[in-house]
């Protein structure tokens, strides 16, 4: 049936002529609200979620950053370092904000490494402190749930996959081990996000030649102790996944040892022999 010009939906030629309608309560709680230039939702959650960020206009991104900065902890008056959360943990001060706020602040600090290549010792040391802060917070009761809610797993995946970010990958795997230890929801979510190829790539050391492949950044050589620490946390993470998941996700995890002519199983035996002789 033909539609008359009067019945057709109006076409907005000029965005300035559009009269913004008030949001319902349900829409106001939705972190993705593309109809307004003001970001509405949880800013600490959105800053680490690329799905949300892609939907925002430049004005919304500016407003989101303003909200995140307003929630970031202020620096101590007697110290110029803006890494207040790290300082509070290092001094042994008890964090009063609770796991929700503290994990959100820690992830905000880690999100700064999106697009920022760490290729010198000073930046690497600072990054290590920030990841260590997140790991210590994950030992608190309720922190893992907060990490999951604040899209911490998604942020870790982004940081690991980022080109030229090989120096951070050990930190990412270690933080994932802290976050996913004995956590069934976290392990299942990790697999749903496509984390198994990432984890087993690290397990097989397939990104070890990043410098030779001439990607952006410079990979800082690790000591033997650091290499062995990588093995420990990677194996711990794999073991924890196999213990926590079941059904299809267990099958997907277990199959990784069968693919490519059992190369991962050979790697596992190689590690077993190496540490048995130590």
């Amino acid at each position: 049936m033909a539609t008359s010009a009067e019945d057709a939906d109006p076409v907005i030629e000029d965005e300035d002529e559009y009269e913004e309608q008030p949001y319902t309560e349900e829409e106001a709680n939705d972190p993705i609200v593309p109809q307004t230039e003001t970001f509405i939702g949880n800013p600490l959650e959105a800053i680490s979620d690329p799905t949300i960020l892609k939907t925002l206009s430049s004005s919304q991104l500016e407003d989101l950053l303003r909200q995140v900065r307003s929630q970031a902890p202020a620096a101590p008056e007697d110290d110029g370092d803006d890494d207040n959360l790290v300082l509070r943990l290092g001094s042994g001060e008890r964090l009063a904000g609770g796991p929700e706020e503290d994990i959100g602040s820690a992830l905000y600090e880690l999100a700064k490494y999106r697009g920022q290549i760490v290729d010198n010792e000073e930046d690497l040391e600072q990054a290590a402190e920030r990841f260590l802060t997140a790991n210590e917070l994950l030992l608190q009761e309720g922190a893992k749930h907060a990490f999951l809610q604040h899209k911490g797993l998604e942020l870790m995946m982004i940081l690991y996959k980022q080109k030229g970010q090989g120096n951070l990958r050990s930190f990412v795997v270690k933080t994932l081990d802290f976050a996913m230890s004995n956590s069934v929801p976290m392990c299942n979510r990790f697999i749903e996000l496509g984390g198994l190829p990432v984890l087993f790539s690290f397990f097989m050391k397939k990104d070890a030649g990043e410098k030779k492949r001439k990607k952006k950044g410079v990979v800082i050589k690790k000591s033997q102790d650091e290499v062995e620490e990588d093995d420990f946390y990677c194996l711990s993470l794999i073991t924890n996944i196999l213990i926590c998941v079941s059904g299809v996700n267990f099958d997907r995890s277990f199959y990784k040892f069968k693919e490519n002519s059992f190369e991962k199983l050979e790697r596992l035996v190689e590690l077993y022999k190496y540490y048995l002789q130590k």
Side-chain angles (χ1 to χ4, degrees), residues 66-123:
R66 179 187 60 76
Q67 292 186 42
V68 169
R69 291 191 190 103
S70 69
Q71 295 187 20
E77 294 182 0
D78 59 346
D79 198 302
D81 193 341
D82 64 349
D83 229 344
N84 191 31
L85 190 65
V86 176
L87 292 174
R88 289 162 66 197
L89 279 171
S91 64
E93 179 184 340
R94 183 177 177 81
L95 298 176
E100 183 78 17
E101 178 181 339
D102 295 329
I103 285 292
S105 298
L107 289 175
Y108 165 66
E109 293 297 327
L110 295 181
K112 293 178 180 179
Y113 293 108
R114 295 182 60 183
Q116 176 183 336
I117 304 301
V118 178
D119 58 3
N120 62 74
E121 294 287 354
E122 183 179 352
D123 289 345

Side-chain angles (χ1 to χ4, degrees), residues 162-182:
Q162 186 169 281
K163 291 183 178 180
Q165 205 66 290
N167 294 316
L168 291 186
R169 287 173 182 162
S170 295
F171 302 151
V172 170
V173 169
K174 187 174 182 178
T175 296
L176 284 173
D177 185 52
F178 272 82
M180 294 165 58
S181 178
N182 300 317

Side-chain angles (χ1 to χ4, degrees), residues 118-239:
V118 178
D119 58 3
N120 62 74
E121 294 287 354
E122 183 179 352
D123 289 345
L124 189 64
E125 183 177 347
Q126 185 182 57
E129 291 179 352
R130 290 177 173 174
F131 276 93
L132 178 60
T133 297
N135 297 344
E136 293 184 357
L137 288 171
L138 284 165
L139 297 175
Q140 297 181 12
E141 184 177 356
K144 292 181 180 180
H145 176 73
F147 188 88
L148 187 63
Q149 294 301 310
H150 279 293
K151 308 293 184 182
L153 284 177
E154 286 83 347
L155 176 60
M156 293 300 105
M157 295 284 288
I158 291 169
L159 293 180
Y160 187 98
K161 292 179 178 180
Q162 186 169 281
K163 291 183 178 180
Q165 205 66 290
N167 294 316
L168 291 186
R169 287 173 182 162
S170 295
F171 302 151
V172 170
V173 169
K174 187 174 182 178
T175 296
L176 284 173
D177 185 52
F178 272 82
M180 294 165 58
S181 178
N182 300 317
S183 174
V184 173
M186 202 84 76
C187 290
N188 282 309
R189 180 58 179 161
F190 178 76
I191 294 174
E192 291 167 4
L193 290 171
L196 290 177
V198 168
L199 175 58
F200 280 95
S201 174
F202 187 83
F203 176 67
M204 297 297 293
K205 308 291 185 184
K206 289 192 175 181
D207 57 356
E210 186 172 0
K211 184 176 180 180
K212 294 181 180 179
R213 292 197 297 271
K214 298 182 180 180
K215 293 184 178 180
K216 293 191 299 181
V218 176
V219 177
I220 298 173
K221 187 176 181 179
K222 298 177 183 178
S223 67
Q224 184 59 32
D225 287 342
E226 289 173 327
V227 171
E228 292 178 1
E229 187 178 71
D230 286 351
D231 291 338
F232 172 83
Y233 284 105
C234 186
L235 287 170
S236 174
L237 191 51
I238 293 172
T239 302

Side-chain angles (χ1 to χ4, degrees), residues 3-38:
T3 304
S4 66
E6 295 180 355
D7 295 334
D9 292 336
V11 177
I12 301 172
E13 300 291 345
D14 189 345
E15 197 174 39
D16 294 333
E17 297 177 2
Y18 174 65
E19 182 178 352
E20 184 174 312
Q21 299 298 317
Y23 291 110
T24 65
E25 182 178 354
E26 181 179 354
E27 290 173 327
N29 292 327
D30 190 340
I32 305 177
V33 186
Q35 298 93 336
T36 179
E37 295 306 310
T38 302

Side-chain angles (χ1 to χ4, degrees), residues 242-259:
L242 291 172
I243 291 173
C244 288
V245 302
S246 58
V248 174
N249 281 343
F250 176 84
D251 293 339
R252 291 173 64 184
S253 304
F254 190 74
Y255 177 76
K256 300 299 291 184
F257 287 97
K258 295 182 178 180
E259 65 183 12

